[in-house]
């Protein structure tokens, strides 16, 4: 079955620690995205990538970093510079990401990150 | 003012009721309108999309766009307890823009 796999499902981070969230897709989609979801705020775009080895900042990129070394993979690192990282993180992909609509996003099941 | 406004609910209805979910938006350049359904602790899944104004029907679901009023709606007929979820509207445009703007989501509870 084609889809997006996010891991882990739950992640706990200590103060001052960097953590990496995994996102893998086997849909052969070019574009991949990371969103953060907080209660009452909807989905906010962190980073996106339209092609391997290229990515752009979204609306709330501070304190986060990404890489896109393979088409299938788009890991997100939450660094210690992110002061309020507790949230639900969603990875998504779309076919091309270059037109205003290309079939919509396919989302993963999310990773819930909690600071302890 | 947010680009997309959506009442967070929760909205509780009895089984079999017709549900109306709505979003308003401020950017007249939006051309593609989508509805996603998100179950608790899961990622959103695309339910319907509509281009420009008009209606689109898919089974028990109808999506409606009124660009003149900058208002979109999702109607669910014969609602079921399995429809209980959060419904997010999303929009994109103009041409060449990759980005979707999401509403905050409306939590729906269908009571058996």
């Amino acid at each position: 079955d084609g889809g997006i796999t996010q891991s882990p499902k739950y992640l706990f981070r200590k103060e001052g620690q960097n953590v990496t969230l995994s996102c893998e897709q086997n849909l052969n989609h070019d574009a991949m995205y990371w969103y953060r979801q907080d209660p009452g705020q909807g989905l906010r775009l962190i980073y996106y990538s339209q092609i391997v080895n290229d990515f752009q900042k979204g609306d709330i990129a501070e304190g986060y970093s990404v890489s896109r070394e393979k088409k299938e993979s788009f890991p997100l690192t939450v660094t210690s510079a992110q002061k309020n990282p507790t949230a639900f993180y969603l990875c998504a992909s779309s076919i091309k990401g270059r037109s205003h609509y290309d079939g919509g996003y396919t989302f993963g099941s999310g990773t819930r990150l909690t600071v302890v | 003012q947010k680009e997309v406004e959506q009442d967070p609910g929760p909205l509780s209805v009895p089984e079999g009721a017709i549900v109306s979910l709505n979003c308003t938006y401020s950017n007249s350049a939006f051309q593609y309108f989508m509805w996603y359904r998100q179950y608790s602790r899961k990622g959103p899944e695309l339910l319907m999309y509509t281009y420009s104004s008009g209606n689109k029907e898919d089974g028990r679901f109808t999506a409606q766009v009124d660009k003149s009023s900058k208002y979109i709606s999702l109607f669910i007929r014969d609602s079921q307890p399995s429809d209980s979820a959060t419904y997010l509207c999303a929009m994109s445009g103009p041409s060449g823009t990759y980005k979707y703007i999401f509403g905050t989501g409306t939590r729906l509870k269908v009571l058996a």
Side-chain angles (χ1 to χ4, degrees):
Chain A
D1 280 337
I4 296 186
T5 302
Q6 287 187 244
S7 62
K9 198 171 176 69
Y10 299 96
L11 187 58
F12 298 91
R13 191 193 95 166
K14 293 181 181 177
E15 295 284 351
Q17 194 178 43
N18 292 355
V19 291
T20 298
L21 284 61
S22 170
C23 178
E24 304 274 335
Q25 56 101 356
N26 60 4
L27 298 164
N28 200 31
H29 283 175
D30 284 336
M32 297 187 74
Y33 312 82
W34 274 105
Y35 281 88
R36 171 178 171 146
Q37 188 173 34
D38 296 279
Q41 296 207 49
L43 297 176
R44 292 184 290 167
L45 183 64
I46 304 172
Y47 268 98
Y48 70 100
S49 168
Q50 293 173 308
I51 197 168
V52 174
N53 292 323
D54 188 47
F55 49 82
Q56 280 77 43
K57 292 181 179 180
D59 299 317
I60 55 163
E62 187 175 347
Y64 300 97
S65 66
V66 293
S67 62
R68 186 89 187 274
E69 296 175 4
K70 297 187 299 182
K71 187 175 183 177
E72 303 79 21
S73 179
F74 192 40
L76 174 74
T77 296
V78 184
T79 74
S80 56
Q82 173 47 243
K83 296 306 175 190
N84 186 22
T86 295
F88 189 51
Y89 289 87
L90 286 161
C91 180
S93 70
S94 65
I95 296 171
K96 287 291 183 187
R98 294 194 188 92
S99 66
H100 40 284
Y101 181 76
D102 61 2
Y105 290 172
T106 300
F107 283 90
S109 291
T111 293
R112 186 162 299 279
L113 173 63
T114 304
V115 173
V116 295
Chain B
Q1 184 192 4
K2 289 183 180 177
E3 275 190 286
V4 177
E5 300 274 2
Q6 187 175 9
D7 188 329
L11 177 63
S12 292
V13 300
E15 183 176 355
I18 296 175
V19 176
S20 171
L21 303 166
N22 311 294
C23 287
T24 58
Y25 62 95
S26 56
N27 189 343
S28 58
F30 288 144
Q31 296 184 30
Y32 285 87
F33 304 90
M34 290 147 277
W35 286 97
Y36 284 82
R37 177 175 61 195
Q38 184 177 21
Y39 291 113
S40 182
R41 297 188 181 87
K42 298 287 186 186
E45 55 179 332
L46 182 64
L47 205 54
M48 296 193 70
Y49 85 91
T50 314
Y51 172 68
S52 195
S53 284
N55 292 1
K56 187 171 184 177
E57 191 173 319
D58 184 1
R60 297 184 295 111
F61 299 90
T62 299
Q64 199 172 75
V65 175
D66 181 350
K67 288 194 76 179
S68 62
S69 302
K70 297 192 183 73
Y71 189 88
I72 70 169
S73 300
L74 177 70
F75 297 97
I76 307 175
R77 290 183 298 282
D78 187 25
S79 56
Q80 303 295 310
S82 58
D83 294 327
S84 298
T86 297
Y87 290 80
L88 300 105
C89 62
M91 323 191 171
S92 71
S95 177
T97 303
Y98 67 92
K99 192 174 166 181
Y100 293 1
I101 307 298
F102 286 86
T104 53
T106 298
R107 194 152 60 93
L108 171 68
K109 197 166 186 179
V110 181
L111 306 169

